[in-house]
Amino acid sequence: MEKNTLLLHDTEAFMRGELDNVTVAEGCIVLDPVQGSYVPYGCYTSAALPMPLFDELWVSWNVATPPGTAVEAQARVMVDGNWSAWVGFGRWSTHLRRESVPPRERGPLRMGPDALRLDSKCATQAQLRIYLYTKNEKTTPAVRLLGVSVRRVDAIPARGRPVNRSLHLMPYVVGRRAPALRPWMDLAIGLASLTNRWGADLLPEEFAQVLRDWRAPAEGDPRNLAFAAAAAGCWGFPAWISWCGLATLRDEIRAGCGTLVALGSTPAQMASGWPERRFVTVRGFRMGAGAGKVLLCDPWAGENDFDAETEMELDDFLVAWDNVALLMRPRPAANMQGGPVRDSVRPRPAGPVAPGVCRLYRGGELHLLDADFCANGGVLAWSTPDGRPHATTAHRTFHFVEPEAGGVRLDPKDPEKTSQKYTVYAVDTAGGMLVGDVTI
């Protein structure tokens, strides 16, 4: 771990901080229980964290947020021997329309959606705070990890020892995912690429729903790296932001872990429709003549999923990369069931009331989809078997549609077949998914 990155993620580390209406149970920060219920809110404040001299700071959190619960992370820094005011990184829950704070300035502090910057000043210490809230006295959020990483101003990031290794990450491209989520889909794809190699089998659309920053588009980028780390964490995968050098990326590959990074696109790439800043996963390094290559899964690189497996000259990569990375670890066995809920449904033809439409039945009860399900941010899709096996469900061909008559209209079956199997997916804005099969 780089010396400029600190993670609090177990009972011993959490107990060094100040507990106000919260406690530490099973390695997580939770609200205080009182007579079989939980208090409505509480706060955890870390001890002061000495850091190398820095001018930029990122906060990460991994937390389970059952319905009716939320958290809000804050940080402050020590500048010229004095603590700054506390600054927030937005209230977060899988069940909220998550919004980071709008860009603002306060003295030397410059607050962005997922980073705190200092203008003409440097800091020497950081302190973290996280508020826990619940509207349901029987449930509490559970904070598993709280982290901070800073950009050092007195050191050039280390390049480390070269490594020659390639990991098999899951490649997906933006062009095959839900069009409505495209502005932030590359970040979601990066998380799916990393988690699915460990057997999670999550759709990028599920991640996209819980990492989206719902600030008005005019206010900035809907991709928020702190929210992305939280999204991975809610499915049980430890994830955090790190300001680091090439040495860290190489060490992650040696350890069998890919990384998620942002790259600046070239003018030619932007002219072809790529964003100015895009997220990719680093899947390895290849040594050869010269500086070698960086192996990537780049969601913007083509129209077919395996087009995403690209490589880039190392020197070009170092120019395009901003030295910020999202790091991830496999999901511990204790967290295998975490994350937004997937429920099974039974799609059934609606019959004469809506010819050609299938409606969903959940627990034997009719579950009608609202007409504005997609307009309000949901994703509705269906797929059919395409004659070849896939490493993950997300590699199947998805047809993204709008609700019709409370259900979903499926394309007519292949006339050469007596029956056709369809799988229907409905993903809400909390990342919860209804999924079921029907044969017609």
Side-chain angles (χ1 to χ4, degrees):
M1 184 74 65
E2 296 272 359
K3 293 181 179 179
N4 61 304
T5 301
L6 293 176
L7 302 179
L8 308 177
H9 57 90
D10 55 32
T11 299
E12 181 181 355
F14 287 141
M15 290 301 294
R16 296 191 185 106
E18 180 181 339
L19 308 174
D20 183 7
N21 282 342
V22 299
T23 189
V24 180
E26 298 180 359
C28 298
I29 303 168
V30 297
L31 290 166
D32 267 337
V34 179
Q35 297 180 344
S37 301
Y38 292 101
V39 297
Y41 63 88
C43 177
Y44 171 82
T45 305
S46 77
L49 305 172
M51 306 294 288
L53 194 67
F54 67 92
D55 64 359
E56 194 162 359
L57 172 147
W58 294 263
V59 174
S60 306
W61 59 90
N62 294 171
V63 56
T65 52
T69 69
V71 299
E72 182 178 3
Q74 297 183 348
R76 67 177 181 175
V77 297
M78 181 168 283
V79 181
D80 296 333
N82 299 306
W83 284 109
S84 71
W86 289 98
V87 295
F89 290 80
R91 189 171 292 196
W92 194 88
S93 169
T94 54
H95 301 278
L96 289 176
R97 289 206 169 196
R98 300 153 298 279
E99 293 188 14
S100 60
V101 298
R104 66 171 184 257
E105 299 181 6
R106 188 167 184 175
L109 305 183
R110 303 291 182 268
M111 187 62 204
D114 55 11
L116 172 64
R117 297 170 177 84
L118 289 94
D119 183 20
S120 72
K121 294 284 187 177
C122 295
T124 56
Q125 294 188 57
Q127 193 170 21
L128 305 180
R129 172 179 285 175
I130 190 163
Y131 288 93
L132 287 72
Y133 306 97
T134 185
K135 293 181 179 179
N136 182 345
E137 65 181 16
K138 298 302 181 182
T139 59
T140 175
V143 180
R144 300 188 184 109
L145 179 148
L146 193 58
V148 60
S149 188
V150 300
R151 183 174 71 177
R152 299 178 60 169
V153 299
D154 60 351
I156 298 174
R159 295 175 68 99
R161 286 189 301 113
V163 58
N164 190 16
R165 184 182 183 186
S166 174
L167 304 180
H168 182 54
L169 303 187
M170 295 296 123
Y172 310 108
V173 293
V174 168
R176 286 169 47 83
R177 309 317 314 172
L181 309 185
R182 178 168 289 201
W184 60 98
M185 182 52 73
D186 58 356
L187 185 52
I189 285 174
L191 294 182
S193 294
L194 294 172
T195 59
N196 287 357
R197 72 178 296 261
W198 285 313
D201 200 24
L202 295 165
L203 300 183
E205 285 76 14
E206 292 177 273
F207 275 120
Q209 294 290 44
V210 295
L211 65 80
R212 178 183 181 180
D213 192 336
W214 284 82
R215 283 175 296 118
E219 295 182 17
D221 195 333
R223 299 171 300 178
N224 183 310
L225 202 55
F227 287 5
C234 78
W235 267 285
F237 291 89
W240 62 93
I241 303 169
S242 176
W243 184 84
C244 58
L246 181 60
T248 295
L249 303 190
R250 286 169 161 167
D251 287 344
E252 291 294 296
I253 294 299
R254 286 191 184 91
C257 303
T259 56
L260 177 59
V261 302
L263 300 180
S265 299
T266 65
Q269 290 168 338
M270 289 187 285
S272 65
W274 295 21
E276 180 179 356
R277 177 173 175 259
R278 70 190 193 278
F279 283 92
V280 306
T281 46
V282 177
R283 60 185 177 90
F285 294 89
R286 183 163 62 84
M287 301 305 299
K293 307 277 189 179
V294 184
L295 308 181
L296 306 174
C297 283
D298 189 336
W300 292 93
E303 295 300 319
N304 298 307
D305 284 337
F306 285 91
D307 293 340
E309 293 184 335
T310 63
E311 59 183 37
M312 189 175 184
E313 294 286 346
L314 178 60
D315 289 342
D316 293 339
F317 173 86
L318 294 175
V319 170
W321 179 41
D322 60 3
N323 290 101
V324 178
L326 186 147
L327 310 183
M328 188 184 294
R329 291 294 179 267
R331 180 165 52 184
N335 297 338
M336 291 298 283
Q337 301 302 317
V341 174
R342 275 189 181 183
D343 274 350
S344 296
V345 291
R346 298 182 67 186
R348 291 294 179 264
V353 297
V357 170
C358 280
R359 289 176 169 174
L360 309 182
Y361 287 80
R362 186 178 184 184
E365 299 291 330
L366 178 61
H367 180 84
L368 293 176
L369 295 171
D370 294 335
D372 55 2
F373 177 76
C374 292
N376 287 336
V379 173
L380 182 62
W382 57 268
S383 68
T384 59
D386 50 15
R388 62 184 184 277
H390 295 294
T392 66
T393 301
H395 283 114
R396 301 178 72 171
T397 299
F398 285 72
H399 304 268
F400 297 97
V401 295
E402 299 280 335
E404 187 174 336
V408 54
R409 181 176 295 278
L410 307 175
D411 280 0
K413 67 180 178 65
D414 186 334
E416 297 183 0
K417 297 181 179 180
T418 58
S419 63
Q420 176 69 62
K421 179 181 177 181
Y422 298 83
T423 304
V424 176
Y425 313 83
V427 188
D428 63 28
T429 55
M433 184 165 71
L434 302 178
V435 58
D437 298 328
V438 60
T439 301
I440 300 175

